[in-house]
Amino acid sequence: MANDSTPNTEDLLREQQQAFEAALPEVEDDEGLYALQVRFLGKKGSITKLRKLMGKVPPDQRRALGQAFNAVKQTVEGGIEARKLELVELARARELARRVDLSFQPQRRRAGSGHPVLSTRRQLEQVFRRLGFDVLDGPHVEVEDYNFDRLNFEPDHPARDMQDTFFITPPEGVEAGEGDSSPSFVLRTHTSPVQVRTMLSHPPPIKIVAPGTVFRNDDDPTHSPMFNQIEGLYVDRGVTMADLKATLYAFVGAFFGEGLEVRFRPSFFPFVEPGAEFDMQCPFCRDEHTGENAGCGLCKQTGWIEIGGSGMVHPAVFEACGIDSSVYTGWAFGFGIERMAMLRYAVPNLKHFFEGDQRVLEQFPC
Ligand code: FA5
């Protein structure tokens, strides 16, 4: 029985070794190697099972059989280690053989950009901040009182006409103007009501700019029903028109470039006295050396570009806002932001800003 079992066990061992050697090259990763180790040398592995037959072998043959087991075990373990190193080498060789196409052009990502009007607004804010102004905001839906009455507009001023102004039906639960049956809310027609709000809530000195969107029943190539303005207000003791001119001169220099002339043209706004349109020298046709203007399409051959209105705050406005006009004086201005964006980016038509055509907007990476 001993003679029968000894060669059988060795044969079986040899079979297992051959099976291992056949399976080893097929293994492609660490997991596979671990599974192979378990299959042959694990607790229930085929070689481990054969080892348990040792007890049935005559004592004089056990030593030889034990050596045979150890040899097979070392073969299996050594094979697994060697294959492990081989796999690392194969992975490295694969990585090195990977070709990178350096001529490959990835698709350009379309990054968005700031809208030229918004970016003009931000730049304006920045310039006025540097000149010592605070930046304030105001609501788009405004009480008629702040938009017109306290700014000294007569009750029958044409701006109050439905043809010029968008009136808003008051929301439920909100009272219309006291003793007034007409609607008392409007989409603000200018940023000047922020003057009223500021003077009602802050004692002088006041030095603010208020950029924002305004609405008018206007629609032609140079007028849009929705546009943006920037309001300026400076109130203190002894403020004069000279401060206004100096400030606007500094502003034009900082925003459009040094050396441009500014001028006032008398004009009427109910909330300022005296009132003036504010013009700047056209930067497009100005000769750098002589400072003279040749005239161009943008300035309509005049050499001047109108930016907006300005003037000394009317005493009636001060009184309506609780400020003593015998103590304080002040000035205000209101400019169209689109007008300035048109100048800054040399855009001939205001409508280009609002049509949302990417081909146009992409030309002004802001
Ligand atoms: C006003 O709105 C006054 N509130 C400005 C002001 C403030 C004067 C403080 C005095 C003191 P005006 O209506 O002129 O003024 O408008 C000012 C600027 O807004 C214009 O010069 C123009 O640049 C711009 N603007 C006016 N209407 C439109 C419109 N429909 N579309 C685009 N821009 C406009």
Side-chain angles (χ1 to χ4, degrees), residues 190 192 216 218 223-224 227 229 231 269 306 308-310 333-334:
H190 51 174
S192 299
R216 289 184 196 177
D218 259 354
H223 292 84
S224 156
F227 62 102
Q229 289 188 334
E231 193 80 11
F269 299 94
E306 180 194 312
S310 63
F333 63 77

Side-chain angles (χ1 to χ4, degrees), residues 80-124:
I80 283 174
E81 275 313 305
R83 181 66 183 159
K84 200 177 268 179
L85 292 177
E86 216 172 273
L87 287 178
V88 170
E89 283 307 315
L90 279 173
R92 188 174 299 157
R94 255 199 309 270
E95 191 58 29
L96 288 175
R98 204 160 60 93
R99 296 244 168 262
V100 177
D101 181 358
L102 295 177
S103 67
F104 176 72
Q105 299 260 336
Q107 272 202 335
R108 194 166 71 92
R109 271 217 185 167
R110 290 175 75 96
S113 65
H115 191 280
V117 171
L118 190 61
S119 109
T120 303
R121 175 179 160 166
R122 297 221 168 101
Q123 288 157 3
L124 288 168

Side-chain angles (χ1 to χ4, degrees), residues 146 242 316 345:
Y146 290 3
Y345 299 112

Side-chain angles (χ1 to χ4, degrees), residues 27-89:
V27 175
E28 292 294 341
D29 51 30
D30 284 352
E31 267 177 37
L33 280 179
Y34 180 71
L36 201 65
Q37 185 160 12
V38 170
R39 177 179 152 195
F40 289 97
L41 296 180
K43 265 189 188 169
K44 295 180 183 167
S46 51
I47 294 175
T48 313
K49 273 184 191 160
L50 288 178
R51 193 174 176 84
K52 287 176 186 157
L53 299 176
M54 283 269 284
K56 298 181 180 168
V57 174
D60 60 325
Q61 293 172 16
R62 271 186 206 154
R63 186 181 161 86
L65 192 58
Q67 281 171 346
F69 267 116
N70 286 340
V72 174
K73 190 176 171 226
Q74 275 168 15
T75 303
V76 170
E77 286 173 346
I80 283 174
E81 275 313 305
R83 181 66 183 159
K84 200 177 268 179
L85 292 177
E86 216 172 273
L87 287 178
V88 170
E89 283 307 315

Side-chain angles (χ1 to χ4, degrees), residues 151 153 189-193 195 214-220 222-232 267-269 271-272 274-278 306-312 331-340 342 350 354:
L151 289 170
F153 280 79
T189 58
H190 51 174
T191 41
S192 299
Q195 286 187 39
V214 303
F215 308 86
R216 289 184 196 177
N217 205 349
D218 259 354
D219 202 5
D220 64 43
T222 52
H223 292 84
S224 156
M226 186 278 305
F227 62 102
N228 292 273
Q229 289 188 334
I230 182 162
E231 193 80 11
S267 183
F268 175 73
F269 299 94
F271 38 96
V272 285
E277 295 284 356
F278 171 67
E306 180 194 312
I307 308 258
S310 63
M312 298 301 292
W331 48 249
F333 63 77
F335 302 156
I337 295 183
E338 282 75 10
R339 175 69 59 91
M340 286 196 261
M342 284 168 82
L350 170 92
F354 303 124

